[in-house]
Amino acid sequence: MVASLAVPSVPVLFWWKSAVDDRAKRAEDVKTKIRIPSVQTIDDLMVEKCKPGDVLLFDRRCHKCASGPMASFSCLVARGLLCGEDKGATRSVETGKFDHCGVVVPGDTATKAQAADPSNLLLLEATASEGIVARPLLTRLEMSQSRTVLLLPISSPGERRNDEEFEPSKKTARLQQRLVTNLTAFRSKWVEESKKQNYAGGHPTLGVFGALGYAMNLQKTSPAPVSPSAWLVVSALQDAGAAENISARSALETRVDDFLRDHRFNEKDTVRLRPGWKFLAPVVVREMSRS
C-alpha cells in the first residue's frame, strides 16, 4: 500500500522541487538585476502606464506554480473549466486562457500625490503562497512567468487617459481621489483579514470548488467564488465605486475571462462598471512563448 502511493509521488515531488528552485532563481535574478539610472526597461515603461484601479490578467503556466501540487492542480482545473470559448461570446482579445487576475492599488505614501506615482503602485491579488497580498507592481511583473500578462486600463467619467495634455475637471479629480482612497482602505482590510483567517491555506481548495461548481451550473447557489482572484478584483472595484454592485453574488459569480467581455455585446458573463466608467482596450504587458 505504501509503495503504491510512494511511486507516483516521486515525479510530483521532483516537479515541485524543480518549480521551487526555478522560482528561487528568478527571485534572485530580479533582486540582483543591474538597473542603470535614467534607462528604463520595458517593464518600467509598462508600469508607468498603470494607475490605481487598472486590472492585470494572467495566462499562467500551471507547471510553474511553486506553492505546491494543490496550487498547480487548482490552476489546471480553473483553466480547463473556466477558460473555455463560449459560443456567441465576443472577447476583446482572440487568444489566451486567462485564469488569474489582480488589481492595481496605491501603496502607503506620505502624501496623496505620491499614492498614484507608478513607483509606489502595488498589485493586490489572491494567491496560494501568501494569501491576499499586495506586492510592488514592477517586481510582480518581473517575477511573472505567465505566457501573457494583459493590462486593462480603467477610465473614470470624463477622463481621457490617452491624451497627454488632458486636465481633469474637479468632478473627475474627486472621483479619481475617491478611487485611490477606497482602494487603499480595501487593500489594508483584506490583507489583514487574510492573515487572520490563514487564507493562503484554503486558496487552492476554494479555487477547485469554485470551478467545479461553475461546471455543474451551481455558481448561483454555491458559497464559494467561481474564481477567488476575480472575486477579489471585482469586490475591490465595487468598494471603490467603479463597478456596479447589482447583487451580492455578482462578484462571486465572476470569472477572470469575464473582464474581456464588453457588456454592450454580452448580456451575461461580463464585468459591469458604473455609468461613465469603462475599460479601455487591453494592452499586452508581457508575452512569452506559448509553451
Side-chain angles (χ1 to χ4, degrees):
M1 179 66 177
V2 175
S4 64
L5 293 176
V7 172
S9 68
V10 170
V12 174
L13 293 174
F14 178 80
W15 156 79
W16 188 13
K17 183 180 185 305
S18 176
V20 170
D21 291 345
D22 189 40
R23 176 59 61 88
K25 180 180 181 302
R26 192 169 188 88
E28 183 64 22
D29 290 342
V30 171
K31 182 180 178 180
T32 58
K33 183 177 181 179
I34 298 176
R35 303 183 188 276
I36 304 174
S38 302
V39 176
Q40 293 180 303
T41 64
I42 294 178
D43 287 328
D44 291 323
L45 294 173
M46 287 301 177
V47 168
E48 282 192 351
K49 294 180 177 291
C50 297
K51 290 185 178 182
D54 290 350
V55 177
L56 288 177
L57 309 182
F58 296 83
D59 179 356
R60 295 185 298 175
R61 291 184 171 95
C62 296
H63 64 281
K64 294 291 186 180
C65 292
S67 301
M70 191 61 186
S72 183
F73 178 66
S74 176
C75 175
L76 289 168
V77 171
R79 289 179 65 82
L81 300 180
L82 302 180
C83 300
E85 296 297 329
D86 298 338
K87 293 182 179 180
T90 303
R91 295 203 323 171
S92 52
V93 295
E94 294 182 0
T95 59
K97 288 188 173 183
F98 297 92
D99 61 288
H100 181 72
C101 61
V103 60
V104 178
V105 297
D108 291 320
T109 55
T111 66
K112 293 181 179 179
Q114 293 175 334
D117 187 282
S119 63
N120 296 322
L121 295 178
L122 309 173
L123 187 70
L124 181 69
E125 55 187 332
T127 70
S129 58
E130 301 178 61
I132 296 175
V133 62
R135 294 176 282 200
L137 180 56
L138 178 59
T139 302
R140 178 64 178 86
L141 289 177
E142 291 177 334
M143 283 292 297
S144 176
Q145 299 186 73
S146 297
R147 296 177 181 85
T148 305
V149 181
L150 277 185
L151 167 67
L152 286 182
I154 195 169
S155 177
S156 58
E159 182 181 10
R160 299 196 300 273
R161 282 191 61 164
N162 296 326
D163 185 352
E164 295 181 357
E165 299 180 357
F166 169 69
E167 290 291 337
S169 65
K170 291 183 179 180
K171 181 179 179 180
T172 299
R174 284 197 301 268
L175 286 173
Q176 293 173 342
Q177 185 55 51
R178 187 178 72 172
L179 179 79
V180 169
T181 301
N182 290 349
L183 284 176
T184 301
F186 183 90
R187 182 207 75 204
S188 299
K189 171 187 174 182
W190 282 102
V191 169
E192 184 63 28
E193 191 66 25
S194 171
K195 293 177 182 178
K196 291 180 180 179
Q197 301 294 333
N198 187 27
Y199 173 83
H203 175 81
T205 304
L206 194 63
V208 170
F209 277 109
L212 290 174
Y214 182 86
M216 294 185 289
N217 201 30
L218 299 175
Q219 69 271 21
K220 294 189 179 300
T221 57
S222 172
V226 169
S227 165
S229 65
W231 161 79
L232 181 69
V233 172
V234 173
S235 297
L237 294 178
Q238 288 176 340
D239 268 30
E244 288 187 349
N245 192 1
I246 299 176
S247 71
R249 296 198 55 85
S250 56
L252 289 172
E253 297 172 10
T254 302
R255 302 176 301 166
V256 176
D257 216 41
D258 295 345
F259 284 97
L260 297 174
R261 290 169 164 77
D262 193 321
H263 70 273
R264 296 174 298 176
F265 310 112
N266 299 278
E267 294 184 2
K268 61 178 183 176
D269 296 332
T270 183
V271 176
R272 296 183 179 275
L273 301 181
R274 293 172 65 88
W277 292 85
K278 60 184 177 181
F279 287 122
L280 303 182
V283 178
V284 177
V285 177
R286 290 176 70 91
E287 190 162 31
M288 303 174 73
S289 64
R290 304 304 301 175
S291 61

